[in-house]
Amino acid sequence: QVQLVESGGGSVQPGGSLRLSCALSGSVFPIYQMGWYRQAPGKQRELVAAVTPSGSTNYADSVKGRFTISRNNAKKTADLQMNSLKPEDTAVYYCNAAHITAGYVYWGQGTQVTVSS
């Protein structure tokens, strides 16, 4: 049984910060690429940030310099620190774990992030 649980979503004013956390259970965490995706109203789901088992990171152009993804293999968690939040960051954020070799992909239930005045 593989399960992903997100936490840390909420409502903030523009310029504020939030930290999202994703916890994996039921498998060997170090073998998965971990990522955060988001889906805004009227738009397709998009990759926000990802981190490989070795620690390499990748970010969407729209969040570079503002968001930071990290992982803790001992705790089996992947966090997304979001700073200088903008209204256009408003979306449901989903944690993702990808076992590329085996072709398995797992998703969390999603957590709402709302940025408004």
Side-chain angles (χ1 to χ4, degrees), residues 15-44:
S17 298
L18 285 173
R19 188 177 183 89
L20 306 182
S21 183
C22 175
L24 178 147
S25 65
S27 191
V28 182
F29 184 84
I31 69 175
Y32 290 93
Q33 174 174 280
M34 302 299 297
W36 283 96
Y37 290 70
R38 68 186 180 188
Q39 186 165 15
K43 296 185 177 181
Q44 296 294 110

Side-chain angles (χ1 to χ4, degrees), residues 2-3 13 15 21 27 29 37 46-47 50 54 63 69-70 75-76 78 85-86 102 107-108 110-111 113-114:
V2 175
Q3 181 176 251
Q13 295 182 339
S21 183
S27 191
F29 184 84
Y37 290 70
E46 64 177 352
L47 174 68
S54 64
V63 307
I69 190 170
S70 61
K75 296 182 178 180
K76 296 184 178 182
L85 284 161
K86 305 174 181 179
W107 294 93
T111 184
V113 171
T114 302

Side-chain angles (χ1 to χ4, degrees), residues 43-103:
K43 296 185 177 181
Q44 296 294 110
R45 183 164 50 188
E46 64 177 352
L47 174 68
V48 177
V51 57
T52 69
S54 64
S56 297
T57 58
N58 187 42
Y59 297 92
D61 288 342
S62 60
V63 307
K64 288 181 179 177
R66 300 188 297 121
F67 291 10
T68 302
I69 190 170
S70 61
R71 67 189 294 154
N72 186 317
N73 288 344
K75 296 182 178 180
K76 296 184 178 182
T77 57
D79 292 354
L80 183 69
Q81 178 66 45
M82 304 185 293
N83 299 326
S84 301
L85 284 161
K86 305 174 181 179
E88 51 262 45
D89 294 319
T90 295
V92 177
Y93 285 69
Y94 298 91
C95 181
N96 166 273
H99 191 305
I100 299 176
T101 300

